[in-house]
C-alpha cells in the first residue's frame, strides 16, 4: 500500500519538476543541449511571450512530446503588439483563446513536416503543412499522424534574400533542440481565410484589383451544394483544392444565357423538381472539374506532369508544371495565381476555362437561365417540348419567350385574344393554371405563336425604311387557311441594331443581346403576345375604321367575312365613305334592300380570298413591273404592288368624282392619288394589321367602288330623300332624265325640250348621253308658293280658305292649275343639265357595244368646273359655276341682271352645292335652295325698259362727272392767278 502511494506521488510531481526545469533557464548558455521544444523555449527570455501563451493554452505537454518539427515563434515585441491589438487586458483564458490568440493559431506556428534548416527556407517558395487543423473545433494535433492534414503555411524569399512566412519576416538565426528547429518571426501568423472568403476577395494576399474577381466561382460552388464543405464548416480533417476561374474567364467561355443558367437556373426552377435537378447536375458537371479533394500545392508537386483527382466520379485532372515550377496548367488551362493558402485547402487562380465534355446546352436550359420557366412548362404542357429540348439541333428557330415575371403580371390572360377570359391566370405556375382552365389546343396555338420559323438576329429585323419585319410563326391553323400567322418585329428608328430596342407585336425585348443556342435565337419579352384577334376586334381598335366595321354589320356581311378563313381586308377609313356624299347617303339607307345589297358588294370588294402580307407583294423597280392579282369575295380582281412610297392597290371599279378629280384639296378624296401615277391606285397607309383569320391593310383615304354596284339617279335621289323632286318629275313627265338616254325608249318619245336645244322640236343639235340634276331639298320645295299651292290642290283643298299662317298675298292662290304646272315645269327644267357627247368626252361614250364598257360616263366630265357655263332644259337659259372655296361651288343664272328695272325688287338667283354624287349617266347635286326663274319682260330678254334705265344712269353719271370736273378747273385757275399778284 505504501509503495502504491509513493508511485502516485512521483507521477503527480513529474509535471511540476518539468515546469521548474523549464523556468530555470537564463540568457546565457545552458549547461546541456535542450531536448524538447519546451526546454528550448524555457531556456531564453526571448521566447517567454509565446511560451506563456502556450502554457495558458495547455500546449506544454503536446510540445514536449513533439519530435521532428519546426517552430516559428513570434518575438516578445510581436506578442505584446498582438495582445494590444487583439487581446483583452485581463490575462485569462476564454474557452481556447488567450488574449486574442486561439490554440489553433498557436499551433499554426508549428510545421510538422520535419526539421527545416535555413537552407530549406532560402531555397525558394514552398508550402508547408502546419499542425493546426481546419475547422472551428479542431482537436489537439497528433504528432506523426499523417491522416489529419493541417492548415498550409507558405514561405517565400523576398527581395534581398529575406525569408518570409505568410508575409511575416523570419529572423536568420536558427535555434535548435533535439526535437527540431525554432525560428523567431516578426509577427503573429494569422489563420488564413476559408476558400469561400478567398473567392470573395478577402484574402490578404490577393490584389485589391482582384476583389470580387471570383464571384462566378463562388456562386457556382454554392449552386452545386458545396458551400458548406468549402466554407470550412464540415469535418475539420477535410481539405480541398479549388482551381478558381475568374469572372472574365467564365464570361468568355459561356454566353449570357448559359451563365445565367449555371448561376441562377436552379433558383429559377425551384418550383419544378425536374428542371432544378437537371440544372444542379449541369452545375456540378462544370464545378467538379475545378475542385479536388485534399490540399494540392503546385510547389509541393514540383516539375512535371501529375494526375490529380477531381471532385466528380472518376474525374481526373492533369496538372503540368514547367521546369523550375514557375508556371503551370491544369487540363490545359493556365494557372495565373498558384498556391493561395486557405484555412481549409488551397486555391489556384486560372486565367481560362474549357467547356466540359459532358455539358450540352439546349434552348430549354437557356430559357431556364433567362427566368422563363413558365414558358418552358407551357411548351411541355402543349406537347411542343421538341422545339426546345435540343433533339433537333439542325432546325433554325427564334423563340419569343415571356419571362416568369411577365407571365405572373398578366391577370386572367387570354391566350387566343378573343376576350373570353379562359386563358392563363395569375399564380406561381401560370402554365399549370392555364392548362386547368383552357383547352389544350388553345394553349398549343398560343405557344406556337411564340415560336418563329427561322433564326433571326437583330440585324435581320432592322429595315432601312423603319417598317416592321414580318416573322412567320409555327401557328398555321385552319383560321388562316393553313398559312403561318405572323409576328411584327420592330427595331426602334434611329438606333443601330441593338436587342434592347426591338419589340415584337409591341412587346419589348428586355435582353441586351438575344441568347443564341446553336440554331436557336431567344428574345425575352416584357409581356406575352396574344394571338391575333378577330377581325372586328382588331379593326375597331382604330377609330378611323369604325365606319367600315359598321358598314359590315349594316350590310349583313360581318359574320360571313369573320368566319371565312384566310382573308385579306383592305379597310377604308371613315373619310373614304363620307367623301362619297350622296352615294354614301344611299348606301347607308336603313331598310332599303337595294342599298343593303350594294353596300354588301362594296364591302366584299375590299376582302381578298387569301392572306397577303406586305412582304409578299412585288416591288416595282426600273426593271420590274410585276403585280400580284388576287380575287375578292365580290368576284372582282385586285392588283397589288409596292413602290418606294408604299403599297398600291388597283382595281377595276366605277369611277367616283373624288377619285377622278385632277385637282383637289388635301382633305378631299382626290388627293389620295397625289403621288401615284396610276389614277386608279389607292395607297396603303397602315400595312399588316394582324387578324385571327389573316391580315388587314388600311387604305390611306380611298375605297374601291366595284362595277357591279350600279349607282343610278334614282338611288341617289332616294339617298337624299328628294321626294318632292321625284314627284315633280313624275307629274311633269320628265322621268326620262333618270334613265340612260342612249337606251331605246320604252314608251313615248321625249318631252318638249329634252333634246337640249330649247326649241322643243326634238331635233338635237348633238347627242345627249345623260343628265345632271340640281336637286333642292324637300324643305326648299316646301318654301315655294307654287309648289305648296299645287300640293294643297292635290289634296282637295283648292276651295278652302288659306290658313292663318299662310301668306295672304300668295300670287298662285287665284291661278289655274295649268299655270302652276307650267311654272313648275319651267322651274324643274332650270334644274336639269343635259350632258352632251362632246361634254362627256371626245367620241362616243358608253354605247354598250364593247364588253369592257359598262356604259358609265367619265366621272371627271360630270364634275362642276370653275367659271364654266352649263346649258339647262329651260329654253336658252344657262348656268355658270363658281368655285368660291376649295371644292365648293355655287351656281347662278348666266346673263340675268342683278336688279330689275327702276322700282323693282333686286333679283338674285344664286345657289350653293351642298353635296354631290355621280351616277351611271350623270351627276346629282344637292342645292341649299331653289334657283329662281329669270325675269320675263315685254321687250324680250332684258326688256327696253332696262336698256333705257341703263342709258339714263350712264348719262346722269357722265353729266355729274363733267360738272364736277369744270368746278374743279375753275377753282384751280383762280388760285393760280392770285399767286401771280405783286404787292404795290
Amino acid at each position: 500500500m505504501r509503495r502504491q502511494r509513493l508511485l502516485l506521488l512521483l507521477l503527480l510531481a513529474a509535471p511540476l519538476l518539468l515546469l521548474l526545469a523549464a523556468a530555470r533557464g537564463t540568457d546565457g548558455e545552458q549547461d546541456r543541449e535542450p531536448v524538447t521544444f519546451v526546454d528550448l523555449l524555457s531556456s531564453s527570455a526571448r521566447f517567454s511571450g509565446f511560451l506563456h501563451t502556450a502554457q495558458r493554452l495547455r500546449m506544454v505537454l503536446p510540445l514536449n512530446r513533439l519530435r521532428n518539427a519546426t517552430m516559428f515563434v513570434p518575438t516578445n515585441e510581436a506578442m505584446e503588439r498582438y495582445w494590444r491589438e487583439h487581446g483583452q487586458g485581463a490575462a485569462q483564458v476564454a474557452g481556447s483563446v488567450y488574449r486574442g490568440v486561439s490554440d489553433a493559431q498557436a499551433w499554426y506556428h508549428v510545421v510538422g513536416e520535419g526539421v527545416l534548416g535555413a537552407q530549406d527556407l532560402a531555397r525558394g517558395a514552398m508550402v508547408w503543412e502546419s499542425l493546426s487543423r481546419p475547422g472551428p473545433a479542431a482537436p489537439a494535433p497528433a504528432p506523426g499522424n499523417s491522416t489529419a492534414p493541417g492548415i498550409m503555411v507558405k514561405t517565400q524569399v523576398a527581395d534581398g534574400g529575406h525569408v518570409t512566412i505568410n508575409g511575416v519576416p523570419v529572423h536568420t538565426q536558427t535555434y535548435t533542440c533535439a526535437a527540431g528547429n525554432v525560428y523567431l518571426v516578426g509577427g503573429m501568423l494569422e489563420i488564413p481565410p476559408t476558400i469561400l472568403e478567398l473567392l470573395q476577395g478577402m484574402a490578404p494576399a490577393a490584389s485589391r484589383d482582384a476583389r470580387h474577381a471570383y464571384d462566378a466561382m463562388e456562386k457556382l460552388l454554392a449552386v452545386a451544394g458545396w458551400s458548406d464543405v468549402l466554407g470550412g464548416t464540415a469535418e475539420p480533417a477535410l481539405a480541398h483544392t479549388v482551381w478558381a476561374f475568374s469572372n472574365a474567364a467564365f464570361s468568355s467561355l459561356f454566353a449570357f444565357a448559359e451563365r445565367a443558367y449555371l448561376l441562377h437556373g436552379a433558383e429559377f426552377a425551384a418550383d419544378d423538381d425536374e428542371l432544378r435537378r437537371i440544372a444542379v447536375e449541369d452545375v456540378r458537371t462544370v464545378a467538379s472539374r475545378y475542385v479536388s479533394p485534399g490540399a494540392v500545392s503546385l510547389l509541393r508537386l514540383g516539375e512535371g506532369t501529375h494526375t490529380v483527382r477531381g471532385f466528380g466520379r472518376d474525374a481526373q485532372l492533369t496538372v503540368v508544371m514547367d521546369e523550375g515550377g514557375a508556371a503551370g496548367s491544369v487540363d490545359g488551362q493556365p494557372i495565373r495565381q498558384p498556391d493561395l493558402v486557405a484555412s481549409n485547402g488551397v486555391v489556384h487562380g486560372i486565367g481560362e476555362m474549357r467547356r466540359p465534355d459532358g455539358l450540352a446546352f439546349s434552348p430549354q436550359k437557356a430559357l431556364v437561365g433567362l427566368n422563363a420557366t413558365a414558358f418552358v412548362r407551357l411548351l411541355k404542357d402543349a406537347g411542343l417540348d421538341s422545339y426546345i429540348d435540343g433533339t433537333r439541333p439542325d432546325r433554325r428557330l427564334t423563340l419569343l419567350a415571356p419571362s416568369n415575371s411577365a407571365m405572373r403580371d398578366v391577370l386572367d390572360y387570354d391566350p387566343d385574344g378573343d376576350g373570353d377570359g379562359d386563358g392563363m391566370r395569375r399564380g406561381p405556375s401560370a402554365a399549370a393554371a392555364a392548362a386547368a382552365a383552357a383547352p389544350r389546343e388553345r394553349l398549343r396555338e398560343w405557344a406556337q405563336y411564340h415560336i418563329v420559323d427561322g433564326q433571326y438576329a437583330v440585324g435581320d429585323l432592322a429595315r432601312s425604311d423603319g417598317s416592321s419585319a414580318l416573322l412567320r410563326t409555327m401557328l398555321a391553323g385552319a383560321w388562316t387557311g393553313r398559312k403561318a400567322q405572323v409576328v411584327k418585329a420592330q427595331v426602334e428608328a434611329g438606333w443601330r441594331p441593338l436587342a434592347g430596342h426591338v419589340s415584337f407585336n409591341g412587346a419589348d425585348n428586355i435582353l441586351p443581346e438575344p441568347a443564341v443556342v446553336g440554331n436557336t435565337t431567344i428574345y425575352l419579352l416584357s409581356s406575352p403576345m396574344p394571338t391575333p384577334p378577330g377581325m372586328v376586334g382588331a379593326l375597331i381598335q382604330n377609330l378611323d375604321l369604325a365606319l367600315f366595321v359598321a358598314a359590315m354589320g349594316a350590310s349583313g356581311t360581318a359574320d360571313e367575312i369573320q368566319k371565312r378563313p384566310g382573308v385579306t381586308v383592305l379597310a377604308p377609313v371613315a373619310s373614304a365613305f363620307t367623301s362619297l356624299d350622296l352615294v354614301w347617303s344611299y348606301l347607308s339607307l336603313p331598310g332599303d334592300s337595294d342599298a343593303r345589297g350594294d353596300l354588301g358588294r362594296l364591302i366584299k370588294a375590299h376582302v381578298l380570298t387569301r392572306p397577303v402580307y406586305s412582304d409578299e407583294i412585288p416591288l416595282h423597280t426600273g426593271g420590274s413591273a410585276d403585280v400580284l392579282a388576287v380575287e375578292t369575295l365580290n368576284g372582282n380582281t385586285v392588283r397589288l404592288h409596292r413602290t418606294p412610297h408604299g403599297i398600291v392597290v388597283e382595281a377595276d371599279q366605277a369611277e367616283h368624282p373624288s377619285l377622278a378629280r385632277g385637282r383637289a384639296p388635301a382633305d378631299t378624296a382626290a388627293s389620295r392619288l397625289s403621288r401615284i401615277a396610276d389614277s386608279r391606285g389607292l395607297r396603303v397607309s397602315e400595312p399588316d394589321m394582324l387578324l385571327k383569320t389573316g391580315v388587314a391593310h388600311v387604305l390611306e383615304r380611298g375605297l374601291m367602288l366595284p362595277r357591279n354596284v350600279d349607282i343610278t339617279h334614282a338611288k341617289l335621289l332616294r339617298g337624299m330623300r328628294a321626294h318632292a323632286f321625284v314627284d315633280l318629275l313624275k307629274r311633269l313627265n320628265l322621268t326620262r332624265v333618270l334613265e340612260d338616254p342612249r337606251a331605246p325608249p320604252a314608251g313615248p318619245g321625249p318631252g318638249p325640250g329634252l333634246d337640249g336645244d330649247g326649241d322643243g322640236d326634238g331635233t338635237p343639235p348633238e347627242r345627249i348621253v345623260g343628265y345632271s340634276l340640281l336637286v333642292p331639298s324637300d324643305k326648299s320645295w316646301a318654301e315655294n308658293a307654287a309648289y305648296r299651292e299645287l300640293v294643297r290642290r292635290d289634296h282637295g283643298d283648292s276651295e278652302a280658305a288659306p290658313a292663318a299662317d299662310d301668306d295672304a298675298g300668295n300670287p298662285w292662290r287665284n291661278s289655274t292649275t295649268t299655270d302652276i304646272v307650267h311654272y313648275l315645269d319651267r322651274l324643274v327644267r332650270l334644274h336639269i343639265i343635259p350632258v352632251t357627247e362632246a361634254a362627256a368626252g371626245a367620241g362616243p361614250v358608253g354605247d354598250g357595244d364593247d364588253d369592257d364598257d359598262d356604259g358609265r360616263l367619265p366621272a371627271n366630265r360630270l364634275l362642276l368646273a370653275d367659271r364654266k357655263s352649263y346649258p339647262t332644259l329651260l329654253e336658252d337659259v344657262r348656268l355658270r359655276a363658281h368655285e368660291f372655296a376649295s371644292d365648293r361651288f355655287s351656281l347662278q343664272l348666266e346673263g340675268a341682271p342683278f336688279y330689275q328695272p327702276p322700282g323693282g325688287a333686286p333679283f338674285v338667283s344664286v345657289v350653293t352645292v351642298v353635296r354631290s354624287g355621280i351616277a351611271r349617266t350623270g351627276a346629282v347635286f344637292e342645292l341649299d335652295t331653289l334657283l329662281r326663274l329669270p325675269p320675263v319682260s315685254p321687250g324680250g330678254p332684258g326688256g327696253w325698259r332696262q336698256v333705257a334705265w341703263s342709258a339714263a344712269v350712264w348719262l346722269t353719271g357722265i353729266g355729274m362727272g363733267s360738272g364736277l370736273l369744270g368746278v374743279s378747273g375753275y377753282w384751280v385757275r383762280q388760285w393760280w392767278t392770285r399767286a401771280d399778284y405783286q404787292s404795290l
Side-chain angles (χ1 to χ4, degrees), residues 125-144:
M126 181 52 65
V127 174
W128 313 95
E129 184 180 337
S130 74
L131 294 183
S132 180
R133 300 293 182 261

Side-chain angles (χ1 to χ4, degrees), residues 384-734:
L384 301 174
D385 48 335
S386 63
Y387 289 104
I388 60 174
D389 60 9
T391 56
R392 293 187 57 183
D394 58 328
R395 181 168 49 188
R396 295 185 174 274
L397 298 172
T398 299
L399 302 180
L400 309 177
S403 66
N404 283 356
S405 58
M407 300 283 276
R408 284 194 298 268
D409 289 342
V410 178
L411 180 63
D412 291 330
Y413 180 70
D414 186 13
D416 62 353
D418 60 3
D420 55 9
D422 58 1
M424 302 179 64
R425 300 178 180 177
R426 185 190 300 272
S429 177
R440 179 183 177 88
E441 186 58 31
R442 185 167 297 167
L443 284 179
R444 182 181 177 86
E445 290 179 358
W446 186 92
Q448 286 175 321
Y449 192 60
H450 288 72
I451 305 174
V452 175
D453 186 12
Q455 189 174 20
Y456 295 92
V458 181
D460 300 328
L461 304 178
R463 298 291 183 268
S464 58
D465 58 357
S467 62
S468 299
L470 304 181
L471 311 181
R472 269 63 180 180
T473 70
M474 292 300 177
L475 177 57
W479 281 110
T480 56
R482 300 301 173 184
K483 190 169 184 176
Q485 277 283 11
V486 165
V487 168
K488 297 170 68 174
Q490 181 73 43
V491 179
E492 214 172 305
W495 292 87
R496 64 186 181 91
L498 294 175
H501 299 278
V502 179
S503 62
F504 300 89
N505 285 3
D508 293 328
N509 168 64
I510 58 180
L511 292 178
E513 291 294 337
V516 179
V517 182
N519 289 330
T520 299
T521 298
I522 302 174
Y523 293 88
L524 193 64
L525 304 187
S526 60
S527 61
M529 298 185 305
T531 53
M535 181 181 302
V536 172
L539 298 181
I540 203 65
Q541 297 177 28
N542 187 338
L543 293 180
D544 284 340
L545 303 180
L547 197 54
F548 178 71
V549 175
M552 282 197 300
S555 64
T557 59
D559 289 342
E560 176 188 354
I561 297 174
Q562 278 203 108
K563 294 179 180 179
R564 183 182 178 90
V567 297
T568 299
V569 179
L570 304 174
V573 295
S575 60
F577 289 97
T578 56
S579 66
L580 295 176
D581 285 350
L582 293 179
V583 176
W584 175 242
S585 296
Y586 157 70
L587 293 174
S588 59
L589 277 176
D592 191 306
S593 59
D594 291 339
R596 182 185 178 93
D598 286 337
L599 183 59
R601 286 184 284 274
L602 184 146
I603 295 298
K604 289 183 177 181
H606 292 79
V607 181
L608 310 185
T609 54
R610 66 181 180 90
V612 177
Y613 296 95
S614 61
D615 58 358
E616 301 172 356
I617 301 174
L619 177 65
H620 270 198
T621 61
S624 172
D626 296 337
V627 296
L628 178 65
V630 186
E631 188 178 356
T632 71
L633 295 184
N634 183 55
N636 59 302
T637 299
V638 170
R639 294 174 298 278
L640 303 99
H641 68 270
R642 284 187 297 138
T643 70
H645 299 291
I647 300 174
V648 177
V649 180
E650 304 173 2
D652 293 331
Q653 58 174 316
E655 276 193 297
H656 184 262
S658 62
L659 299 178
R661 185 181 301 279
R663 177 182 59 86
D667 59 346
T668 64
S671 64
R672 64 192 66 143
L673 301 179
S674 59
R675 295 186 299 273
I676 301 177
D678 189 344
S679 62
R680 292 181 181 268
L682 301 175
R683 187 189 303 280
V684 171
S685 61
E686 182 182 345
D688 302 308
M689 181 181 290
L690 305 180
L691 308 176
K692 181 178 182 178
T693 55
V695 65
H697 305 291
V698 180
L699 299 179
E700 188 173 9
R701 289 173 186 154
L703 55 73
M704 295 175 289
L705 193 64
R707 293 188 178 275
N708 59 349
V709 177
D710 189 16
I711 302 299
T712 63
H713 288 89
K715 292 179 177 179
L716 294 179
L717 293 175
R718 279 153 55 190
M720 68 171 293
R721 294 176 172 83
H723 305 294
F725 191 80
V726 174
D727 177 65
L728 286 172
L729 291 179
K730 293 178 179 179
R731 178 186 294 271
L732 302 173
N733 196 25
L734 295 175

Side-chain angles (χ1 to χ4, degrees), residues 76-89 99-101 188:
N76 291 336
E77 292 79 9
M79 293 297 299
E80 290 290 343
R81 184 170 61 252
Y82 189 85
W83 287 339
R84 287 193 305 268
E85 295 175 357
H86 300 86
Q88 303 295 328
R99 300 187 72 174
V101 181
M188 285 288 293

Side-chain angles (χ1 to χ4, degrees), residues 83-252:
W83 287 339
R84 287 193 305 268
E85 295 175 357
H86 300 86
Q88 303 295 328
Q92 57 185 356
V93 179
S96 60
V97 179
Y98 174 70
R99 300 187 72 174
V101 181
S102 66
D103 56 354
Q105 185 177 3
W107 283 112
Y108 190 56
H109 292 73
V110 182
V111 174
E113 291 191 300
V115 180
L116 303 180
Q119 70 278 5
D120 297 323
L121 299 179
R123 188 176 295 123
M126 181 52 65
V127 174
W128 313 95
E129 184 180 337
S130 74
L131 294 183
S132 180
R133 300 293 182 261
N145 184 4
S146 61
T147 61
I151 302 175
M152 294 296 179
V153 63
K154 188 175 184 179
T155 60
Q156 293 175 295
V157 179
D159 295 338
H162 299 293
V163 178
T164 62
I165 179 169
N166 282 10
V168 177
V170 179
H171 293 193
T172 57
Q173 186 175 353
T174 304
Y175 302 89
T176 63
C177 65
N181 289 342
V182 174
Y183 296 92
L184 283 174
V185 294
M188 285 288 293
L189 301 182
E190 299 277 1
I191 295 292
T194 64
I195 291 177
L196 284 184
E197 290 171 340
L198 274 177
L199 296 179
Q200 292 169 352
M202 298 178 64
S207 169
R208 290 183 179 180
D209 294 338
R211 184 174 180 83
H212 302 304
Y214 301 99
D215 294 347
M217 182 74 192
E218 174 196 351
K219 180 66 176 177
L220 204 67
L221 298 177
V223 175
W226 299 336
S227 291
D228 292 342
V229 174
L230 301 179
T233 59
E235 292 296 329
L238 297 180
H240 300 87
T241 300
V242 172
W243 313 88
F245 48 80
S246 65
N247 292 350
F250 185 64
S251 299
S252 64

Side-chain angles (χ1 to χ4, degrees), residues 52 68 123 192 379 464 528 611 717 786 864 882 901 906 928:
H52 176 70
N68 195 28
R123 188 176 295 123
L379 294 179
S464 58
L717 293 175
L864 298 177
H882 295 275
D928 61 340

Side-chain angles (χ1 to χ4, degrees), residues 775-851:
V775 184
S777 64
D778 283 4
K779 179 180 178 182
S780 298
W781 284 109
E783 294 173 352
N784 182 271
Y787 180 75
R788 288 202 312 271
E789 181 66 23
L790 181 63
V791 171
R792 182 159 42 206
R793 295 184 182 184
D794 285 344
H795 287 79
D797 297 333
S798 58
E799 303 301 330
D805 59 347
D806 193 8
D807 49 337
N810 183 357
W812 303 102
R813 182 63 176 169
N814 298 318
S815 300
T816 64
T817 301
T818 301
D819 293 337
I820 296 175
V821 170
H822 177 72
Y823 167 78
L824 292 176
D825 179 79
R826 297 182 69 246
L827 187 60
V828 170
R829 290 173 182 271
L830 180 62
H831 289 79
I832 300 176
I833 300 176
V835 180
T836 62
E837 190 172 78
V845 178
D847 56 10
D849 296 334
D850 191 349
D851 293 338

